[in-house]
Amino acid sequence: DVQLQASGGGLVQAGGSLRLSCTASGFTSDDYRIGWFRQAPGKGRLGIACIGHSDGRTYYDRSVTGRFTVSSDNAKNTVYLQMNKLKPEDTAVYYCAASPTGSSWYTMHEYDYWGQGTQVTVSS
């Protein structure tokens, strides 16, 4: 079975940085993407970044473009989300998820597998 494990959340001051990790296991094909989503209190879950496992193509929501960077270390089966210049509005539970390539990267219903969330809190 495919399993995803997210980690790295925490409390940080505005302007600070955090790096989230998503370790994946159980894939039988290289044809998938890993997406990062976040869900703020009382709001829906939104896609913010994605990376293709085989081609390394990256995608970002405009709310994080220029501040967040998604990368992967395929040897470690781990995807990272480097978050810089954090703002209080970035406070949310962050999730990683896996989707077959070719789908809409930002649509949560396209993702078949989800990791547990990790809380990111940015204080002002």
Side-chain angles (χ1 to χ4, degrees), residues 38-86:
R38 67 185 181 187
Q39 187 166 15
K43 297 188 177 181
R45 194 171 298 186
L46 302 177
I48 57 171
C50 178
I51 186 167
H53 176 75
S54 58
D55 62 10
R57 290 188 66 181
T58 57
Y59 309 83
Y60 297 95
D61 182 76
R62 60 184 177 181
S63 65
V64 304
T65 298
R67 299 188 300 124
F68 292 10
T69 303
V70 61
S71 63
S72 64
D73 183 338
N74 289 349
K76 296 182 178 180
N77 294 321
T78 300
V79 170
Y80 303 100
L81 184 67
Q82 178 67 43
M83 306 186 295
N84 298 329
K85 300 178 181 178
L86 283 161

Side-chain angles (χ1 to χ4, degrees), residues 8-21:
L11 173 64
V12 64
Q13 289 187 333
S17 299
L18 280 175
R19 189 177 77 162
L20 306 183
S21 300

